[in-house]
Amino acid sequence: MFNKILSNKLILVFYIVLPFNVLFAKNPYKTPISLSGTITPAETLKVQASAGGRINALLVEENQQVTKGQLLLTLKNDSQQRKVELSRLQIEINKNNVTDGNNRLELTKMQIAISTNNVEDSETNLRDIQRRLKEEQTLFEQGSSTRSQYDTLQLQYSRGEVSLKNAILSLEKSKKEINGAIISLKNSELALERSKQDLATSQEALEDTQLKAKISGIVTAQSFKEGEMISPGAVLFQIININQVEIPILVEEEDLPMIKQGQSVVFTTPSYRNKEFSGLVDRISWLADPESGKFPIYVKADNPGLTLRAGMSAKVYLIIN
């Protein structure tokens, strides 16, 4: 009788334990923790208009897949085009001003050279007249020369002094003018550089009327139509890169020691009940969520064939290393 009872107990234990053994034999690498989250795109970019204007051509549709650098839409902006033309005209004006400034500077330099020569010539001439005047005075005192000859030399000397003073004044004036010419030239050169920068800015703003995709992905949330007016900064649509997905999940404080950055995970979604997807713990937040007190962690996973979609729910299992 005892043997029969023992045999029945062993059979009962076998049938109770067997389901748990089968269950954990299927996925022995999973932790007993399952974490729920929502699948989001790994990269989302809002496409905003840097310049305002009317949508001239809308070249993509919602849910269309685009590649980086692809032209999305063009805007008509006549005022920006006029700014570019005015900037180019201002550059030509400033170039002429720089040329005129260089010419003025060269002329002033030449005038300084001429005035310097005039001063030197006047000084030489005055010294010569002064020498002759002394000789004439000696001759006049000796009675070998007339008063008229002496007075003539004195008049020449006075005129020489006036000529020297005028030459010196002309030289000083030229020196002052060259300072003004240098300042004027520098101002013209600065104005030319500013106008070049203005042109570059205007051209960049004009290029902003041709919006191109900065990432590859799928166009979503389109909010404008062709022919509509938009203002600078308006969000036209967004592009999501779903080639890789991210799953934000919240974990309890006591579970954090089991989680490491780079740790492997598997997850499932209700859309594919019999399929498991693999990913990695991309990052772990240092701050707890203020509402739940749990810590956010972020799982990244590849999405070959774009099977996974943003907004799908996911149940994530950590893999024990």
Side-chain angles (χ1 to χ4, degrees), residues 57-74:
L58 185 58
L59 305 174
V60 293
E61 298 178 353
E62 192 158 350
N63 295 324
Q64 179 178 336
Q65 204 159 359
V66 297
T67 57
K68 184 177 180 179
Q70 181 176 335
L71 185 62
L72 306 175
L73 63 81
T74 60

Side-chain angles (χ1 to χ4, degrees), residues 6-146:
L6 179 61
S7 176
N8 290 337
K9 286 182 177 181
L10 288 174
I11 292 170
L12 180 62
V13 168
F14 174 78
Y15 280 108
I16 292 173
V17 173
L18 179 61
F20 290 97
N21 288 340
V22 171
L23 175 64
F24 286 104
K26 185 178 179 182
N27 290 303
Y29 48 80
K30 292 181 183 177
T31 66
I33 307 171
S34 64
L35 305 167
S36 298
T38 302
I39 294 173
T40 62
E43 190 176 15
T44 301
L45 176 69
K46 289 183 179 180
V47 179
Q48 293 179 272
S50 299
R54 188 179 300 279
I55 299 177
N56 191 38
L58 185 58
L59 305 174
V60 293
E61 298 178 353
E62 192 158 350
N63 295 324
Q64 179 178 336
Q65 204 159 359
V66 297
T67 57
K68 184 177 180 179
Q70 181 176 335
L71 185 62
L72 306 175
L73 63 81
T74 60
L75 300 175
K76 186 177 181 181
N77 193 321
D78 295 335
S79 63
Q80 196 59 49
Q81 182 64 46
R82 286 193 294 271
K83 285 183 180 179
V84 171
E85 293 170 357
L86 287 173
S87 295
R88 286 175 177 160
L89 180 60
Q90 190 62 51
I91 284 177
E92 293 303 316
I93 293 172
N94 289 331
K95 280 182 178 179
N96 291 334
N97 290 340
V98 169
T99 301
D100 292 343
N102 277 317
N103 292 337
R104 179 187 170 191
L105 183 59
E106 291 302 317
L107 288 172
T108 307
K109 288 178 179 178
M110 290 175 61
Q111 187 60 51
I112 286 178
I114 293 171
S115 297
T116 301
N117 290 335
N118 289 340
V119 169
E120 291 174 354
D121 291 342
S122 296
E123 288 175 339
T124 302
N125 185 53
L126 192 61
R127 285 195 297 269
D128 182 62
I129 296 174
Q130 189 177 29
R131 178 185 58 78
R132 289 165 51 199
L133 183 61
K134 287 182 179 180
E135 292 176 352
E136 192 65 31
Q137 184 178 6
T138 302
L139 292 174
F140 175 70
E141 291 174 353
Q142 293 175 353
S144 300
S145 176
T146 64

Side-chain angles (χ1 to χ4, degrees), residues 150-195:
Y150 179 69
D151 290 342
T152 300
L153 283 174
Q154 277 190 324
L155 181 59
Q156 289 178 4
Y157 184 78
S158 297
R159 289 175 177 174
E161 286 182 322
V162 173
S163 178
L164 178 58
K165 288 180 181 178
N166 289 336
I168 292 172
L169 289 173
S170 178
L171 178 60
E172 293 300 321
K173 181 181 178 182
S174 298
K175 287 181 178 179
K176 290 180 181 178
E177 286 179 351
I178 199 169
N179 290 332
I182 291 171
I183 293 171
S184 177
L185 177 58
K186 286 183 178 179
N187 288 336
S188 297
E189 289 173 341
L190 288 173
L192 178 59
E193 289 303 315
R194 282 196 298 268
S195 59

Side-chain angles (χ1 to χ4, degrees), residues 40-43 65-66 215-218 240-246 300-308:
T40 62
E43 190 176 15
Q65 204 159 359
V66 297
I215 63 170
S216 297
I218 298 171
I240 59 171
N241 179 6
I242 204 75
N243 291 322
Q244 198 177 43
V245 296
E246 184 174 82
K300 281 265 182 85
D302 291 332
N303 187 18
L306 304 185
T307 305
L308 302 170

Side-chain angles (χ1 to χ4, degrees), residues 268-273 312-315:
T268 59
T269 71
S271 302
Y272 304 96
R273 295 183 183 275
M312 285 182 173
S313 59
K315 184 160 284 189

